[in-house]
Amino acid sequence: MTPVQAIAALRRANEVARRALAQGHHPFGAVLVDADGHTVLLEQGNVDSVNHAEAVLAREAARRWDAHRLWRCTLVTTVEPCAMCAGTQYWAHIGRLVYGLSERRLLEMTGNHAENPTLDLPCREVYARGQKAIEVIGPVAEVEEEIAALHRDFWRQR
């Protein structure tokens, strides 16, 4: 996935997050991009505090495609996956991750919000404990502020 493709996919994931927000959910969005770096195979917005966009997407991807194909795919998500979502990606065998906003930055915006008790555990640390070399790209500065703006507005109103 080229940097231009990653930025385009992150913007698409942010649109998914906007749709989730419009449906009354937290503004998180994820897309699964095929090996060509362009074709979007799945989109998923946040469902609730247990069914995060990335985890729901990874489970559905694992149901649809085999590990060999998924290893060449990229999970693109607006915010760095939490430990649960990183673990689900790991078990789904999705070989690459691109995220726009770090979980640490999200924590700075939300604080100890009851609806988002953010874990201060970078996904790279989760993956480092596994036996697969999942490539991680992020945060991506070119879209970080676009994603942060959506969250800043949302969490201020909560």
Side-chain angles (χ1 to χ4, degrees):
M1 177 172 272
T2 69
V4 170
Q5 289 172 321
I7 291 166
L10 280 163
R11 287 193 168 124
R12 184 158 175 177
N14 207 33
E15 286 307 312
V16 173
R18 281 184 211 285
R19 288 196 307 266
L21 179 60
Q23 295 170 0
H25 305 292
H26 293 171
F28 297 93
V31 296
L32 181 68
V33 179
D34 207 352
D36 65 5
H38 176 73
T39 305
V40 174
L41 299 173
L42 288 174
E43 294 183 338
Q44 182 64 53
N46 204 64
V47 177
D48 57 37
S49 61
V50 174
N51 293 292
H52 296 179
E54 303 89 346
V56 172
L57 182 144
R59 284 191 297 271
E60 180 61 20
R63 188 185 72 72
R64 291 188 189 193
W65 296 288
D66 66 30
H68 178 71
R69 178 163 188 193
L70 290 175
W71 188 251
R72 297 184 320 247
C73 291
T74 304
L75 173 60
V76 179
T77 183
T78 53
V79 178
E80 180 179 7
C82 69
M84 174 182 69
C85 293
T88 306
Q89 176 187 357
Y90 176 87
W91 289 109
H93 206 69
I94 300 169
R96 180 179 304 110
L97 169 72
V98 173
Y99 68 87
L101 184 73
S102 72
E103 192 168 17
R104 172 78 47 99
R105 178 125 186 248
L106 178 66
L107 177 60
E108 291 169 2
M109 285 189 281
T110 63
N112 189 22
H113 198 289
E115 292 181 33
N116 194 50
T118 303
L119 293 167
D120 188 10
L121 178 61
C123 67
R124 285 176 173 89
E125 289 185 34
V126 175
Y127 301 135
R129 303 297 177 127
Q131 299 176 47
K132 302 174 195 175
I134 294 176
E135 180 183 357
V136 179
I137 300 165
V140 177
E142 291 86 351
V143 295
E144 194 172 358
E145 203 47 48
E146 295 168 40
I147 294 166
L150 187 62
H151 280 274
R152 206 171 11 259
D153 293 345
F154 175 78
W155 295 107
R156 276 187 197 143
Q157 298 171 10
R158 297 305 270 190

